[in-house]
Amino acid sequence: MAGSPIKQPQYSLEGVAIFRGLSSSTLERIKRRCSCRRYEPRESVVDHLDTSDEVFFLLTGSARVTVRSADGKAVNFRELSPGSMFGEYAAIDGRPRSANVEARTSCLVCRRRSGRSPARRSIPGADRISSRDRDRSEEHTSE
């Protein structure tokens, strides 16, 4: 007996700060270019040094960003809650991921390929900004 199709849950990108104030039609176009996946607690969402160029949006649940210190120890860097965006630094500068992101609770995460090259060209100072923020991240890991 064939199973019935699973209805995709409705979700909204409106809760993500960068999308607030956009029209419904614009949000719908962005949503069509995203793929979403549910992650269970302790499941990896992003691996350190991964070379993907997606930007991620946490719609439900919570996740933790962990970086490695100079001596290799895991350091909790940031807690993510619904509406958080992550992965944007690697999407802008094209460098491998600088952190791990792991689901703390069951969560729904949408991802969108960045189109890395056009993004870098279209954001004035993107290289400078992402380098500065990565330097800050590295400062935290060396403490």
Side-chain angles (χ1 to χ4, degrees):
M1 176 176 192
S4 61
I6 297 173
K7 185 177 178 181
Q8 289 294 329
Q10 291 297 311
Y11 64 89
S12 174
L13 295 173
E14 291 174 329
V16 179
I18 196 167
F19 299 133
R20 285 193 193 119
L22 295 179
S23 70
S24 296
S25 62
T26 300
L27 283 170
E28 192 56 39
R29 276 195 317 269
I30 293 168
K31 183 178 173 180
R32 283 194 302 264
R33 293 184 178 168
C34 289
S35 63
C36 296
R37 180 172 171 228
R38 181 153 304 280
Y39 292 86
E40 296 306 320
R42 303 183 51 86
E43 189 175 357
S44 179
V45 179
V46 174
D47 290 319
H48 178 249
L49 299 179
D50 183 83
T51 58
S52 67
D53 69 345
E54 292 128 337
V55 177
F56 299 84
F57 311 103
L58 182 62
L59 300 184
T60 66
S62 64
R64 174 176 290 143
V65 179
T66 305
V67 294
R68 296 277 172 194
S69 67
D71 61 356
K73 292 182 183 173
V75 176
N76 291 334
F77 182 67
R78 185 173 140 202
E79 298 293 323
L80 301 172
S81 58
S84 296
M85 178 176 76
F86 57 98
E88 67 275 18
Y89 297 137
I92 291 170
D93 67 17
R95 293 171 56 186
R97 303 287 179 179
S98 59
N100 291 317
V101 178
E102 181 179 276
R104 293 187 67 219
T105 64
S106 178
C107 55
L108 180 62
V109 176
C110 288
R111 62 179 73 206
R112 184 177 190 281
R113 284 191 48 92
S114 70
R116 184 182 302 152
S117 296
R120 281 183 71 186
R121 286 193 300 265
S122 66
I123 302 172
D127 291 330
R128 186 175 63 252
I129 292 166
S130 61
S131 295
R132 181 191 68 220
D133 289 337
R134 279 191 188 266
D135 291 343
R136 285 183 187 159
S137 172
E138 290 168 3
E139 287 172 14
H140 287 282
T141 61
S142 62
E143 294 174 354

